[in-house]
């Protein structure tokens, strides 16, 4: 039997970190078992669902590289389409598929119409609380007479449909991560499965969707544990085979509360926009609740698929640590070959207006090589390399005041300009020797030479290896920049 798993988000917003982690685990399990990964949109919340949110979710999954085998897709013209043979993949488009099963539950006496009003239900809950009873529904409408039903219809009351819980015994299911889970049926009420407008509520819709789409494994957050006994009852009442359940732990912030925007970026695409590599985000998400036997931290391409198993998922909540994610991002950046990282850097440099349509790729690679190890976020790239790519140098006022305005800097720069002009072999090694020899001759510390030269040629006091970036800039540019600094600040 082919493994079939699904990720079923509600299109009420962006793809958040918890949702992305759930999608990733489903994706890894499907690929590890050579199964199918299905994307389904649970849009029964008609007021909050939107096409924009659907597109945002698809965008987040696509950026992460979590390609799905069935589900909605964005076509070239920007409209939504589908792929797969088990559609529709939007719940609101599946309503016709639900009706026959709802009618069957009613006909078999496994569900019933409930005409209790909102005010009546509120009064029942308040009375139960006063009497220190569980505030669950009292089954008032289980045995309505035809006369009572007729009277309610004359009042134009729109009924909900409730599932008839036996109220005795236990509901048991096995969970790959949690083990055997038991719920006392007496603690559950006759829960609503269809709203007054005929739209199925989550517990019924998800059961029918999973069964009709032949889902074999339900992998989701453990906040759904409390829903599972109701869903198991529905599976049994409808005669469907139970899927295998695996409830993965919640993700918490560093303060122990449920992960929210205050703990970091709210959406997956926000991390993309901040300058994280998708490989780093995927790697970090995988480790939020899963690990290998040897606690491996970094994974090469396809390695997560090869090593992922549900049995290695933790039953405890995971703590989101943005500093670890940032560390991981740096590790992945440094692991890129120079060619790979140059390809990554080019769009950021172009967007910042630092690269023309035609540019010297080999020279750019030499520039990128200078600072690749220092890049933490991809969005850092323009500000790290701008002084190497711009004709006009921008001086940092504080560095000019601290370094260039220091006594003796003018003489040092004038001497450097003269000596650099006479240097035939313009390399990092020869430049370093020139500066050190000059410092020895003048009886000064090398820093008194290095620092003014750096600010004069880069505009800043910090940056890549001084002599290596001077070599890449070239003799003519270096001389022009020293002359510019002398003219602007001393003459």
């Amino acid at each position: 039997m082919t493994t079939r798993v699904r990720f079923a988000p509600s299109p009420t917003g962006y793809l958040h970190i918890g949702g992305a982690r759930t999608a990733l685990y489903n994706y890894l399990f499907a690929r590890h078992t050579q199964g199918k990964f299905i994307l389904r949109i649970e849009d029964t919340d008609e007021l909050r669902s939107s096409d924009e949110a659907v597109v945002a979710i698809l965008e987040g999954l696509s950026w992460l590289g979590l390609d799905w085998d069935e589900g909605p897709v964005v076509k070239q013209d920007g409209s939504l389409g589908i792929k797969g043979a088990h559609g529709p993949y939007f719940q609101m488009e599946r309503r016709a598929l639900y009706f026959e099963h709802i009618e069957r539950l009613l006909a078999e006496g496994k569900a019933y119409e409930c005409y209790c009003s909102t005010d009546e239900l509120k009064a029942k809950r308040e009375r139960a609380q006063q009497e220190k009873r569980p505030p669950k529904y009292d089954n008032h409408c289980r045995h309505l007479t035809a006369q009572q039903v007729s009277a309610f219809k004359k009042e134009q009351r729109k009924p909900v449909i409730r599932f008839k819980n036996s109220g005795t015994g236990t509901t048991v299911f096995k969970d790959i991560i949690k083990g055997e889970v038991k719920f006392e049926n007496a603690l559950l009420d006759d829960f609503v499965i269809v709203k007054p407008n005929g739209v199925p509520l989550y517990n019924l819709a998800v059961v029918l969707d999973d069964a009709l789409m032949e889902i074999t494994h339900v992998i989701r957050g453990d906040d759904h544990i409390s829903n599972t006994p109701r869903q198991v009852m529905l599976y049994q009442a409808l005669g469907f085979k139970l899927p295998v359940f695996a409830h993965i732990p919640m993700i918490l912030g560093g303060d122990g509360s449920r992960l929210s925007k205050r703990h970091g970026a709210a959406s997956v695409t926000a991390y993309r926009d901040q300058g994280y590599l998708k490989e780093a985000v995927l790697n970090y998400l995988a480790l939020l609740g899963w690990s290998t036997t040897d606690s491996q931290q970094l994974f090469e391409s396809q390695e997560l698929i090869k090593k992922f198993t549900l049995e290695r998922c933790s039953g405890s909540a995971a703590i989101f640590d943005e500093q670890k994610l940032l560390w991981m991002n740096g590790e992945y950046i440094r692991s890129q070959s120079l060619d790979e990282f140059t390809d990554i850097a080019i769009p950021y440099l172009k967007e910042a207006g630092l690269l023309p349509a035609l540019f010297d790729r080999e020279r750019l690679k030499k520039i990128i090589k200078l600072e690749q190890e220092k890049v933490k976020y991809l969005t850092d790239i323009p500000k790290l390399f701008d002084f190497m790519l711009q004709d006009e140098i921008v001086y940092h006022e504080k560095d000019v005041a601290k370094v260039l305005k220091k006594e003796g800097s003018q003489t040092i720069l004038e001497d450097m300009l003269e000596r650099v002009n006479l240097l035939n072999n313009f390399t990092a090694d020869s430049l370093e020797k020139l500066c050190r020899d000059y410092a020895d001759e003048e009886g000064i510390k090398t820093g008194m030479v290095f620092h003014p030269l750096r600010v004069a040629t880069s505009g800043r006091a910090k940056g890549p290896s001084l002599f290596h970036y001077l070599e890449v800039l070239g003799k003519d540019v270096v001389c022009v920049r020293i002359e510019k600094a002398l003219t602007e600040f001393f003459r």
Side-chain angles (χ1 to χ4, degrees):
M1 182 175 59
T2 301
T3 297
R4 290 176 59 83
V5 298
R6 50 69 169 178
F7 175 55
S10 297
T12 55
Y14 46 75
L15 177 64
H16 56 79
I17 287 295
R21 196 271 308 264
T22 299
L24 174 61
Y25 282 15
N26 277 278
Y27 170 82
L28 292 175
F29 183 75
R31 296 294 175 259
H32 181 81
T33 59
Q34 291 81 52
K36 299 294 183 181
F37 174 46
I38 293 92
L39 175 62
R40 186 176 71 229
I41 304 298
E42 297 186 342
D43 58 346
T44 53
D45 187 340
E46 299 165 272
L47 293 177
R48 297 173 61 216
S49 297
S50 70
D51 287 345
E52 291 78 13
V54 173
V55 172
I57 289 168
L58 301 189
E59 181 185 4
L61 292 173
S62 296
W63 176 66
L64 290 172
L66 305 182
D67 54 304
W68 53 99
D69 302 294
E70 300 176 23
V73 293
V74 178
K75 297 189 290 187
Q76 288 186 341
D77 64 2
S79 62
L80 291 173
I82 62 167
K83 60 178 178 179
H86 290 75
Y89 294 94
F90 288 81
Q91 280 187 336
M92 289 302 289
E93 296 176 8
R94 297 177 60 82
R95 291 175 63 179
L97 300 174
Y98 302 143
F99 291 146
E100 63 175 287
H101 300 285
I102 294 170
E103 291 299 323
R104 181 158 61 89
L105 289 173
L106 288 168
E108 294 176 358
K110 296 175 180 177
Y112 60 92
E113 292 180 336
C114 173
Y115 290 87
C116 293
S117 68
T118 302
D119 289 340
E120 289 169 344
L121 292 172
K122 181 181 178 182
K124 291 175 189 289
R125 285 193 298 271
E126 291 175 350
R127 191 179 310 118
Q129 290 172 344
Q130 290 171 359
E131 297 173 359
K132 301 190 183 305
R133 293 185 287 107
K136 63 179 186 176
Y137 183 62
D138 63 0
N139 303 343
H140 174 75
C141 291
R142 261 201 188 204
H143 307 291
L144 293 178
T145 65
Q147 186 177 6
Q148 288 173 311
V149 170
S150 178
F152 286 135
K153 287 183 177 180
K154 285 182 180 179
E155 294 176 18
Q156 295 187 336
R157 289 200 191 189
K158 298 291 185 181
V160 299
I161 297 177
R162 291 182 180 272
F163 179 76
K164 191 179 290 185
N165 170 26
S166 68
T168 60
T170 58
T171 295
V172 182
F173 63 91
K174 291 184 178 180
D175 189 283
I176 292 178
I177 299 169
K178 304 292 184 181
E180 187 175 79
V181 182
K182 296 182 179 180
F183 282 85
E184 295 295 329
N185 292 337
L187 299 177
L188 303 175
D189 60 2
D190 287 0
F191 53 94
V192 178
I193 57 175
V194 182
K195 293 188 283 188
N197 62 359
V199 176
L201 286 170
Y202 169 74
N203 282 319
L204 178 61
V206 74
V207 167
L208 290 172
D209 288 342
D210 286 344
L212 298 176
M213 290 184 176
E214 300 176 6
I215 300 302
T216 61
H217 295 71
V218 172
I219 305 167
R220 59 190 179 187
D222 62 9
D223 54 327
H224 285 287
I225 280 277
S226 60
N227 290 322
T228 308
R230 296 176 175 87
Q231 292 168 16
V232 170
M233 290 179 184
L234 287 166
Y235 271 104
Q236 294 169 341
L238 291 162
F240 293 136
K241 181 180 178 181
L242 280 179
V244 177
F245 292 102
H247 287 91
I248 54 182
M250 295 292 290
I251 303 175
L252 305 179
D255 57 3
S257 64
R258 187 165 180 169
L259 188 66
S260 66
K261 189 174 181 178
R262 71 178 183 276
H263 298 112
S267 71
V268 168
T269 48
Y271 281 99
R272 176 199 63 189
D273 297 341
Q274 284 182 10
Y276 285 89
L277 281 169
K278 68 177 182 181
E279 293 84 358
V281 176
L282 279 173
N283 193 150
Y284 184 68
L285 287 177
L287 295 176
L288 282 175
W290 171 82
S291 63
T292 58
T293 54
D294 59 355
S295 299
Q296 181 177 345
Q297 294 296 297
L298 300 173
F299 296 82
E300 294 180 1
S301 177
Q302 299 298 305
E303 200 174 6
L304 283 173
I305 290 174
K306 182 180 179 181
K307 295 188 175 183
F308 183 82
T309 63
L310 290 171
E311 287 76 12
R312 289 293 307 168
C313 289
S314 169
S316 303
I319 303 297
F320 186 82
D321 181 354
E322 193 155 7
Q323 288 305 307
K324 183 174 180 179
L325 173 58
L326 180 57
W327 165 80
M328 199 168 280
N329 199 49
E331 291 295 310
Y332 271 96
I333 286 172
R334 288 185 284 276
S335 74
Q336 304 290 313
S337 70
L338 182 56
D339 266 315
E340 289 171 334
F341 193 66
T342 300
D343 287 338
I344 291 169
I346 286 172
Y348 289 89
L349 296 172
K350 283 187 173 180
E351 186 179 354
L354 296 172
L355 280 183
L358 298 176
F359 58 90
D360 184 341
R361 182 181 173 87
E362 290 307 309
R363 181 175 183 274
L364 179 60
K365 284 168 61 177
K366 291 177 182 178
I367 293 172
I368 296 293
K369 185 178 180 180
L370 292 170
E371 291 279 71
Q372 180 177 347
E373 288 198 354
K374 293 182 182 178
V375 176
K376 292 182 177 180
Y377 302 99
L378 299 181
T379 47
D380 291 341
I381 290 172
K383 61 187 177 185
L384 288 173
F385 300 110
D386 56 0
F387 80 94
M388 299 285 293
L389 296 165
Q390 290 172 321
D391 291 332
E392 288 296 319
I393 186 169
V394 178
Y395 293 99
H396 294 194
E397 292 183 10
K398 288 184 178 179
D399 295 332
V400 169
K402 184 177 180 180
V403 178
L404 291 191
K405 296 295 186 178
K406 194 172 182 180
E407 185 179 352
S409 292
Q410 179 181 356
T411 301
I412 291 169
L413 288 177
E414 289 173 341
D415 292 345
M416 281 294 100
L417 178 60
E418 181 181 349
R419 295 190 180 209
V420 168
N421 257 318
L422 297 173
L423 190 62
N424 293 320
N425 185 25
F426 198 80
T427 65
D429 289 341
S430 63
L431 284 163
E432 183 172 3
K433 184 176 186 306
L434 181 151
C435 291
R436 291 187 182 281
D437 288 348
Y438 174 77
D440 287 342
E441 291 171 17
E442 298 297 320
I444 59 177
K445 293 181 178 180
T446 54
M448 294 181 67
V449 182
F450 296 170
H451 298 324
L453 186 57
R454 179 183 290 279
V455 175
T457 56
S458 72
R460 61 193 66 171
K462 294 181 179 180
S465 167
L466 172 62
F467 305 110
H468 286 93
Y469 88 68
L470 291 177
E471 178 183 331
V472 175
L473 280 176
K475 181 177 177 179
D476 292 344
V477 173
V478 169
C479 288
V480 166
R481 291 189 174 188
I482 295 174
E483 180 63 42
K484 176 180 171 61
L486 286 167
T487 300
E488 187 163 332
F489 300 111
F490 301 108
R491 296 172 184 167

